[in-house]
Amino acid sequence: MIVLLPPSETKRGGGDGPPLRLRELANPGLCPLRSALVGELVDLAADPVACRAALGLSAAQDAEIERNAALYEAPTLPAIRRYTGVLYDALDIESLRGAQATRAQTRLFIGSALFGLLRADDQVPAYRLSATSKLPGRPTLAVRWRPLLEPVLAELAAENLVVDLRSGSYVALGRTSSAVSVDVVAQHADGRRTSVTHFNKAYKGRLARALATTRAEPNDAAAVAAVARRSGMCVERRGNALTLVVPAGPGH
């Protein structure tokens, strides 16, 4: 089983790994576009005004531009530790030990606008590039990634059950039709259901943790749902589509 996570805009700084070595990342067939995008981001960082426009940044976020300028020489961290935020807080990878940590390292993959697809232990620097970023004079990232990324995902899906927790803009970079999808809805006292926005990530992080650490080897959506239920989640299934049903709070 592969659990495919979204990245996050927030990333931990620093690191103790060597500078970026693109050819050592998983799925080397993605290296040409990875290399092109890294070069484009470094070049773009020399023009802060253009960089802010392309990446959707304000002047107060110029530290993000500095990160991109240093992509070739910055220290690295394992991808699963580089990304931060609500989903990764709920996943809490740092707390895993022994066999659970080993299973998580094997099962967790991360979608990325810059690197396409990363294994948990791939060493990457901090950077800023979102799936919806528009690099000057270039096609959209979805147009550039899809022909390369979809065959890689298809190969993974041929050998593993894929549980896709990515958001829509990252799914657009590379789709996999056989994946188990997951949605989160809030159940109100009157029976109404509404979408969960911000806390969607927290529930998906909890699910990712349960799937990453279980001793079971789920091979279909029903087995994924069973793992989630054993972790205390309310899950509905329709084919390969799972819905996590959570109590509505004040913000829903």
Side-chain angles (χ1 to χ4, degrees):
M1 176 182 60
I2 297 299
V3 182
L4 186 49
L5 302 175
S8 62
E9 287 195 352
T10 57
K11 299 172 185 69
R12 187 172 285 109
D16 53 13
L20 180 62
R21 297 171 179 171
L22 287 171
R23 295 192 180 279
E24 295 184 7
L25 301 180
N27 304 298
L30 303 179
C31 192
L33 184 50
R34 289 167 171 164
S35 180
L37 290 171
V38 168
E40 289 167 25
L41 286 182
V42 171
D43 291 345
L44 185 60
D47 185 343
V49 174
C51 196
R52 291 180 202 129
L55 304 182
L57 301 173
S58 69
Q61 295 174 292
D62 278 357
E64 301 285 353
I65 299 176
E66 294 170 8
R67 284 180 165 183
N68 284 356
L71 281 171
Y72 288 123
E73 62 268 8
T76 56
L77 280 173
I80 199 64
R81 292 177 53 211
R82 176 65 71 192
Y83 298 98
T84 61
V86 175
L87 185 149
Y88 290 88
D89 287 346
L91 173 60
D92 193 15
I93 195 73
E94 302 278 5
S95 70
L96 300 182
R97 298 289 184 271
Q100 287 190 334
T102 300
R103 284 192 288 269
Q105 289 288 335
T106 301
R107 291 172 175 171
L108 295 175
F109 284 67
I110 302 164
S112 165
L114 181 55
F115 300 110
L117 185 67
L118 294 166
R119 292 185 67 99
D121 58 356
D122 277 335
Q123 296 275 349
V124 294
Y127 67 91
R128 181 61 175 252
L129 184 70
S130 301
T132 55
S133 297
K134 298 178 180 178
L135 298 180
R138 304 290 183 178
T140 66
L141 291 171
V143 167
R144 299 175 75 180
W145 271 120
R146 200 175 296 129
L148 297 176
L149 192 52
E150 288 190 347
V152 170
L153 292 172
E155 186 175 346
L156 279 176
E159 299 176 358
N160 307 273
L161 177 70
V162 176
V163 181
D164 194 347
L165 301 183
R166 295 175 299 167
S167 56
S169 60
Y170 285 91
V171 170
L173 299 184
R175 301 178 187 278
T176 173
S177 59
S178 62
V180 175
S181 64
V182 179
D183 193 17
V184 184
V185 299
Q187 178 85 46
H188 295 259
D190 61 5
R192 289 182 301 114
R193 289 184 172 183
T194 54
S195 296
V196 176
T197 52
H198 179 69
F199 289 104
N200 172 301
K201 298 176 182 178
Y203 293 113
K204 286 186 174 181
R206 287 179 54 200
L207 177 60
R209 183 181 176 91
L211 294 174
T213 58
T214 181
R215 286 180 288 182
E217 290 291 346
N219 58 9
D220 59 21
V224 172
V227 172
R229 291 184 184 115
R230 287 198 295 273
S231 297
M233 302 178 195
C234 178
V235 187
E236 297 175 353
R237 180 176 72 88
R238 179 174 294 179
N240 271 359
L242 301 185
T243 301
L244 302 183
V245 183
V246 303
H252 297 137

